[in-house]
Amino acid sequence: MAGLSGQRRLERRWGWLMALPAVLGFLIFTAGPMVASLAFSLTDWQVGGSPSFVGLDNYTAMASDELFWTSLGATTYYTLGAVPLVLIVSFAVAMLLNQRVRGLSLWRTIFYLPTLVPSIANVVLWIWIFNPDFGLLNSLLRQAGLPSGQWIYDEATAIPSLIVMSTWGFGNTMVIFLAGLQGVPRHLYEAVSIDGGGAWRRFWHVTLPMMTPTIFYNLVVGVVGTFQVFNQAYVMTEGGPNNATLFYVYYLFRKAFRESEMGYASALAWVLFMIIVVITFLLFRNARRWVHYEMAGAR
Amino acid sequence: MKRRDLFRMGGLAALGAAAAACGSGGGTAGAGATRLQFMYWGSTFEKTAVEKMLRSFAEKNPGVEVKPLFTPDEYDVKLNSLIAGGNVPDLGYVPMSMSYRLAEQGKLVNLFPYLKKYPQLAGYLPDAYLWYGPDQLHGVATANEIELLWYSKAAIAEAGIAAPPAVAASAWSWDQLVENAYKLTVDQNGRHPDESGFDPKQVRQFGISVSITYAAAWYGFLRSNGADFADEAGKRCLLDTPEAIQVFQNLQDLIHKHRVAPGPGQLAATGDDVPGTNILLKTKRVAMVVDGHWALLDMNESKVDYGIGVLPKYSEPFTTSQVAGASSVFAGGKHVEEAVELFAFHIDPRYVDLYRQGLWMPQERKYYEDQAAIDSWTKNDGHPPEFRTAVVDYAREHGVPDLRNRVKNLSAISSDVLTPALQEIESGKRPAAEILKAVTPKITGMLQGWQHTQEV
């Protein structure tokens, strides 16, 4: 440290000290448990007993665990539906909120508001909306003379219902899109106008390409988050009916805390982690083809 | 104070808090006093009653302090976490899904040697004892709860039918139940399901509600029809026998063929939480409900005009009994003797209000056989006149113990294969026979036999 000035030394010391709570928090509450769960995933451990080493048995057992595949299927189905839908809805709303209209900040607040509602409160609200007898959705359908549904109480419609529900909290994604939209340089739009292009051309040739980095970011964050969907299964459906909404993390939770199969649950957690890593990696590989950065090469 | 000092102090305070958090293990007793922790779940009424019982124990035993650990939700998750952290309570309720495992791991005290010291514990109904091996007793079912047919007197009077019988010998047949349920089911326009124009999506009052996914609700029917969950060895599932299929087909038909019972989600208020039987009957949302004896407390508290009947029968009448969690003493505590003392106390009708209030049924045999003992818990405003035949006699003569106390590995069987199959039956998409024939081999593959039973 001889080369550092007093000021730099001070900053370095205080910098670490200031970051300490975050660093300690990460080490104690994230990194530590991760390492521990990796070790536990190689054991047969029931709460109350002592772990015994079983090698990769927990991992190989998954291949023949019907519910592992069921839960992976349900989660994938949900992700494939929810992520694109949230992206489209939040992008569309962000475009609307990027116009110069009266009461803009009020509109932005209103559209963001559902994001501030706690997740569980949200879920309870939607339980009522989906109630087959007196829920909002079926009441509206009946008044319009349309057939009503069983929503989360029917195997076939449970996941589509939850996908529709997922759009409710699009606020955060929308705000990021909005920020992205405001970063699109004006002169590009002007150039299109000079060439005689209308609204569609402005969208197709300027907005969309310029927004691809933002779309990509929201896509990756959305996929990572959606693969860990839990609350809906935990509060609304308990994985039912007939395992239709047995999401991966809910299955993991059930194994760990209800059946106290900690070893197997840890292995499930690591497999999910690997799945998310692989998907993220594939998304990044694929991104080279469609994500355009304003300054080529700058990432 | 300079800003830098402020930071230093903040850092110290944080470190101090962390150190304190690490240092404080739970369950440390105050100087001199024996301190016990009693962990339990239940309704608000049960909380009050259990606290009262714990206070009276502390009064009778100077030098003993009891700390109630009331845990109404996520009991298994929280108890598992306490065990993983090595910080268990001294005694309390243990869900049956965990109790056998904990006993085998040596986490629960073997109470068999204590039966001599506490003779009242030795005189229990045989099904109350929870054995995990020969002479190995890890607890008792906290109360002897049975399933009953609750009904709204007003709804019965409006339909102009006879009330469900309160004596097992004259129990309704299944056909009689269905016939009466038709008369009790009314849509918004006052039509019954057998009238043209009946709207099954706008039902004002359902005739009957009986859970398909809750084993205690149907196990009595299964036994009454001569079927069972598994064979004598407990290794082969029998849910694909014609008798079992008939029971489940009948349950499915109540919803989808006769349309006299609510389907999935139709009664739900929040998620799977159906309003209590007291509310369903009081609002006449449902006219008859199959539910446990424990509903009596809430029924009285909310002033419902209810009646109690016995369940319909196929051949010999049966009802599920011992529908409760376990009460157990945790091993490894500093005060096991005192904890066992409290254990014997907490389920003794002489000291505990919950029997007279109608939440619990006693486990000691004399409370079903000896007239004075029967009167001691049933002769009061909280117990209607038909209670003697519909509950006391019914439980003594026609109770078959709940599957949770009897079938090994049932917790995993239920969550992995049984409940999903029962949900499919409930949905009415396929006949019960198809579903049960598909799931039975899977259950057989997971069966590990019946739990041990023996004479005391």
Side-chain angles (χ1 to χ4, degrees):
Chain A
M1 283 216 212
L4 294 176
S5 68
Q7 174 74 19
R8 290 289 299 275
R9 263 207 303 275
L10 192 72
E11 277 180 8
R12 176 168 282 200
R13 182 146 42 96
W14 278 103
W16 271 110
L17 213 59
M18 292 300 195
L20 199 60
V23 171
L24 279 179
F26 174 76
L27 289 177
I28 297 170
F29 296 113
T30 306
M34 277 182 77
V35 173
S37 76
L38 185 60
F40 287 140
S41 77
L42 303 175
T43 66
D44 176 13
W45 179 39
Q46 291 221 320
V47 171
S50 42
S52 58
F53 184 77
V54 294
L56 293 174
D57 281 7
N58 285 328
Y59 292 92
T60 49
M62 269 177 233
S64 54
D65 178 1
E66 212 179 301
L67 290 182
F68 164 77
W69 295 106
T70 307
S71 67
L72 198 57
T75 313
T76 310
Y77 178 13
Y78 178 74
T79 306
L80 288 177
V83 172
L85 193 66
V86 170
L87 286 182
I88 291 167
V89 170
S90 52
F91 193 85
V93 176
M95 298 257 298
L96 290 175
L97 294 180
N98 199 33
Q99 310 295 315
R100 289 200 192 89
V101 290
R102 256 176 193 281
L104 190 60
S105 49
L106 181 69
W107 291 117
R108 285 179 180 170
T109 310
I110 289 174
F111 278 103
Y112 190 72
L113 215 52
T115 311
L116 298 176
V117 177
S119 162
I120 296 294
N122 234 339
V123 165
V124 171
L125 173 76
W126 279 86
I127 287 171
W128 167 69
I129 293 177
F130 285 138
N131 185 287
D133 260 26
F134 51 79
L136 180 69
L137 203 50
N138 274 357
S139 302
L140 290 175
L141 287 171
R142 269 188 219 117
Q143 277 177 14
L146 294 168
S148 54
Q150 284 280 311
W151 311 121
I152 54 170
Y153 300 100
D154 187 308
E155 264 177 71
T157 53
I159 292 224
S161 303
L162 295 181
I163 289 172
V164 169
M165 178 183 149
S166 71
T167 55
W168 188 248
F170 66 80
N172 283 332
T173 317
M174 179 197 76
V175 166
I176 294 166
F177 275 133
L178 201 52
L181 285 169
Q182 290 177 354
V184 179
R186 298 273 134 217
H187 65 261
L188 294 178
Y189 288 119
E190 284 160 16
V192 176
S193 298
I194 291 166
D195 287 346
W200 171 250
R201 298 226 170 253
R202 279 204 298 276
F203 172 74
W204 190 250
H205 292 295
V206 178
T207 311
L208 206 55
M210 294 304 289
M211 285 297 286
T212 46
T214 317
I215 296 172
F216 177 63
Y217 170 80
N218 278 334
L219 175 68
V220 171
V221 171
V223 167
V224 171
T226 311
F227 251 93
Q228 300 175 59
V229 56
F230 174 78
N231 286 349
Q232 289 87 327
Y234 178 64
V235 182
M236 297 177 86
T237 61
E238 297 189 345
N242 194 13
N243 289 332
T245 61
L246 186 72
F247 291 134
Y248 194 98
V249 177
Y250 181 68
Y251 180 53
L252 189 164
F253 165 83
R254 209 169 75 182
K255 278 281 168 215
F257 293 101
R258 299 221 186 286
E259 296 170 30
S260 80
E261 301 272 1
M262 287 294 174
Y264 189 64
S266 299
L268 283 172
W270 274 90
V271 168
L272 179 64
F273 180 66
M274 291 318 295
I275 289 172
I276 292 177
V277 166
V278 167
I279 290 176
T280 312
F281 174 75
L282 291 176
L283 285 174
F284 268 92
R285 284 271 307 251
N286 184 260
R288 290 179 198 153
R289 286 194 215 145
W290 62 274
V291 178
H292 307 284
Y293 291 90
E294 201 178 352
M295 290 172 289
R299 289 279 155 97
Chain B
M1 192 183 281
K2 284 183 192 161
R3 203 163 56 173
R4 187 188 280 186
D5 294 334
L6 201 66
F7 284 140
R8 262 189 204 137
M9 284 189 56
L12 278 178
L15 280 176
C22 294
S24 69
T28 42
T34 302
R35 195 157 164 206
L36 300 174
Q37 290 192 330
F38 184 93
M39 186 166 171
Y40 66 109
W41 67 73
S43 67
T44 323
F45 298 124
E46 190 167 353
K47 176 176 187 281
T48 315
V50 169
E51 278 170 2
K52 192 177 155 201
M53 175 268 294
L54 295 177
R55 268 198 309 275
S56 74
F57 179 79
E59 279 160 21
K60 286 189 171 63
N61 296 272
V64 179
E65 252 180 70
V66 191
K67 189 181 165 203
L69 289 181
F70 180 60
T71 313
D73 298 309
E74 295 294 329
Y75 198 90
D76 49 354
V77 174
K78 284 172 190 163
L79 184 54
N80 264 328
S81 308
L82 287 177
I83 293 164
N87 195 5
V88 289
D90 293 279
L91 75 160
Y93 301 178
V94 185
M96 295 280 185
S97 55
M98 292 174 66
S99 69
Y100 286 94
R101 184 193 93 226
L102 293 178
E104 278 153 24
Q105 288 171 341
K107 297 282 171 190
L108 301 177
V109 171
N110 179 7
L111 295 167
F112 186 68
Y114 292 94
L115 295 180
K116 285 192 193 80
K117 187 175 170 192
Y118 299 98
Q120 73 269 35
L121 292 180
Y124 275 18
L125 301 166
D127 295 332
Y129 297 103
L130 304 172
W131 304 98
Y132 60 108
D135 293 349
Q136 289 179 309
L137 180 69
H138 78 264
V140 296
T142 308
N144 175 26
E145 302 293 303
I146 63 169
E147 291 287 318
L148 299 163
L149 186 62
W150 301 86
Y151 58 90
S152 152
K153 281 187 174 168
I156 296 282
E158 274 164 32
I161 58 170
V167 180
S170 48
W172 277 344
S173 67
W174 190 266
D175 289 342
Q176 282 173 303
L177 174 85
V178 173
E179 191 187 316
N180 286 303
Y182 266 97
K183 293 176 185 152
L184 289 164
T185 306
V186 192
D187 74 1
Q188 298 288 4
N189 301 314
R191 292 197 181 94
H192 299 288
D194 47 358
E195 291 170 348
S196 68
F198 173 77
D199 182 357
K201 293 195 168 156
Q202 306 267 303
V203 177
R204 192 183 74 217
Q205 174 182 296
F206 287 104
I208 180 157
S209 164
V210 45
S211 174
I212 297 181
T213 50
Y214 182 54
W218 49 253
Y219 186 57
F221 299 138
L222 205 61
R223 293 290 298 270
S224 181
N225 204 24
D228 205 336
F229 183 72
D231 67 358
E232 253 174 68
K235 296 286 178 69
R236 195 165 70 82
C237 178
L238 298 178
L239 288 183
D240 58 355
T241 56
E243 294 81 9
I245 288 169
Q246 189 191 11
V247 167
F248 285 100
Q249 188 57 52
N250 281 343
L251 288 171
Q252 189 186 52
D253 285 348
L254 286 180
I255 304 171
H256 299 281
K257 183 178 166 195
H258 306 305
R259 301 176 296 182
V260 296
Q266 279 193 288
L267 294 181
T270 54
D272 278 0
D273 286 347
V274 170
T277 297
N278 52 333
I279 307 295
L280 293 177
L281 293 184
K282 192 169 186 178
T283 57
K284 290 195 279 177
R285 185 81 180 94
V286 184
M288 303 185 287
V289 180
V290 173
D291 195 6
H293 158 271
W294 57 83
L296 185 61
L297 175 64
D298 288 349
M299 217 62 89
N300 289 328
E301 294 286 342
S302 44
K303 313 247 179 295
V304 184
D305 190 19
Y306 67 91
I308 304 177
V310 295
L311 301 181
K313 64 177 178 188
Y314 285 86
S315 51
E316 199 185 333
F318 277 123
T319 183
T320 316
S321 65
Q322 304 290 350
V323 189
S327 278
S328 297
V329 178
F330 285 88
K334 281 188 211 143
H335 311 290
V336 170
E337 296 303 312
E338 290 86 347
V340 176
E341 183 85 26
L342 174 55
F343 173 86
F345 184 91
H346 96 283
I347 39 178
D348 194 328
R350 288 176 295 172
Y351 313 119
V352 183
D353 260 359
L354 289 165
Y355 302 92
R356 276 182 294 274
Q357 288 182 357
L359 188 73
W360 285 358
M361 293 165 62
Q363 292 287 27
E364 247 179 289
R365 198 175 317 179
K366 69 173 184 188
Y367 290 102
Y368 297 85
E369 291 171 352
D370 175 68
Q371 189 58 47
I374 293 173
D375 290 349
S376 73
W377 66 286
T378 63
K379 269 252 153 81
N380 52 50
D381 292 344
H383 292 77
E386 70 269 28
F387 194 86
R388 175 61 193 264
T389 57
V391 183
V392 179
D393 297 344
Y394 195 38
R396 189 188 59 234
E397 304 292 335
H398 304 280
V400 281
D402 192 12
L403 291 172
R404 281 177 298 187
N405 325 9
R406 298 278 294 110
V407 179
K408 287 184 179 171
N409 201 30
L410 186 69
S411 168
I413 292 173
S414 282
S415 57
D416 287 358
V417 292
L418 179 60
T419 304
L422 296 174
Q423 285 174 339
E424 211 188 339
I425 293 178
E426 197 179 26
S427 79
K429 296 256 166 75
R430 290 199 291 160
E434 257 180 55
I435 298 164
L436 290 172
K437 279 179 183 158
V439 78
T440 297
K442 290 186 196 170
I443 296 176
T444 297
M446 295 175 80
L447 279 172
Q448 296 169 1
W450 298 101
Q451 302 287 2
H452 175 75
T453 50
Q454 69 178 67
E455 296 292 314
V456 171

